[in-house]
Amino acid sequence: MNQYLRNLGRIEFVVTLACTGRCKHCSEGDHRSGGAHIDGGAAAEAVRKICGEYQIKSLMTFGGEPLLYPEDVFKIHRAASEAGIPKRQIITNGFFSSDQKRIAEVAEKLAESGANAVLLSVDAFHQETIPIGPVKAFAEEVLSRGVNIRTQPAWLVSKEDGNAYNLKTREILANFSEIGIFPASGNVIFPEGNALKYLGEYFEKGEYVNPYREDPTDVRTVSIAPDGGLFGENIYTGDILATLREYSPEKFTE
Ligand code: SF4
């Protein structure tokens, strides 16, 4: 086994960078529609192969907005479920359609695919550009199918800070708690991308160390890009197991 991947236990898929939101705190900067999105069939195959060699404990799909490409998301979660990965998460802003029938259909198929933890990105920032009605409708459809769903807010400065954004976020979370969907711990906004551009005044000057950064010499998570890219190789054109076998820290990319 590659010593740098000795503790590999998690697979992530950035399904797409396209998004229905335009959040001012987004670490990815501007999201334009179009661009690459993950191929669910190839991604599912990669999941099966990785699980044949590594003890994978969790898998996540996210974006951008992953449910812009629901069929690909379902294929990935189905493969994860069949491969015995215990924790199968999706992070979504919950807004991919305003049509109630379509919302119910996607919730149904998501539940069937085996995704067992839905983290719903709702807060003051998301709801500046994302209407809460369809998000709540989706959340209720997911909940009614017995899938674990929690709100996943982004906090500004800290969870405890009393700035106007956090106050608004608490109001939004209360709205979901009323229907039985309670908050997960969420995350504190890190100063990069749009966050730095639009919310710079809330961050102190100086160096920030990204708390979510991997140690390139002890990689615990592989994160596959919308175009299939991983460590300078590609899951569509190469053998993922060879990519993992030949990984070395200088190939590490965020
Ligand atoms: S919903 Fe998420 S990915 Fe989309 S713009 Fe907002 S923070 Fe970025």
Side-chain angles (χ1 to χ4, degrees), residues 139-253:
E140 288 181 305
E141 293 289 350
V142 171
L143 187 66
S144 73
R145 286 163 176 85
V147 178
N148 176 2
I149 177 167
R150 302 183 78 185
T151 47
Q152 170 81 345
W155 300 106
L156 185 57
V157 182
S158 71
K159 185 177 174 183
E160 295 72 32
D161 196 81
N163 64 72
Y165 287 106
N166 285 359
L167 295 182
K168 181 72 190 163
T169 292
R170 283 186 199 118
E171 256 176 51
I172 293 168
L173 296 182
N175 211 286
F176 282 85
S177 293
E178 277 168 17
I179 57 168
I181 298 173
F182 300 98
S185 54
N187 57 285
V188 176
I189 295 170
F190 185 76
E192 64 184 12
N194 276 357
L196 203 53
K197 193 162 151 192
Y198 298 116
L199 301 164
E201 68 203 86
Y202 289 92
F203 301 113
E204 287 180 16
K205 299 262 176 289
E207 286 276 304
Y208 278 84
V209 177
N210 188 337
Y212 305 110
R213 195 170 195 276
E214 282 275 319
D215 173 357
T217 65
D218 182 12
V219 175
R220 288 152 191 258
T221 301
V222 287
S223 188
I224 298 168
D227 65 357
L230 174 68
F231 299 147
E233 304 292 336
N234 194 290
I235 66 164
Y236 303 147
T237 52
D239 173 8
I240 180 115
L241 292 180
T243 300
L244 298 183
R245 234 177 0 253
E246 288 155 21
Y247 168 79
S248 57
E250 57 277 11
K251 293 186 178 174
F252 185 81
T253 44

Side-chain angles (χ1 to χ4, degrees), residues 4-83:
Y4 300 118
L5 303 179
R6 63 195 176 279
N7 290 313
L8 179 63
R10 181 172 167 85
I11 309 172
E12 294 181 349
F13 287 98
V14 184
V15 173
T16 176
L17 288 183
C19 194
T20 49
R22 293 285 177 272
C23 304
K24 65 165 63 128
H25 72 304
C26 187
S27 59
E28 302 292 346
D30 293 325
H31 291 269
R32 302 275 164 236
S33 58
H37 75 273
I38 207 88
D39 177 300
E45 184 57 19
V47 169
R48 286 188 279 272
K49 283 185 168 175
I50 298 173
C51 289
E53 291 212 359
Y54 294 85
Q55 199 65 36
I56 302 298
K57 299 177 201 73
S58 67
L59 173 144
M60 175 181 273
T61 50
F62 64 106
E65 175 40 52
L67 291 177
L68 287 173
Y69 298 98
E71 296 302 329
D72 297 291
V73 168
F74 305 150
K75 283 180 190 163
I76 294 170
H77 284 284
R78 210 168 288 128
S81 180
E82 287 166 4

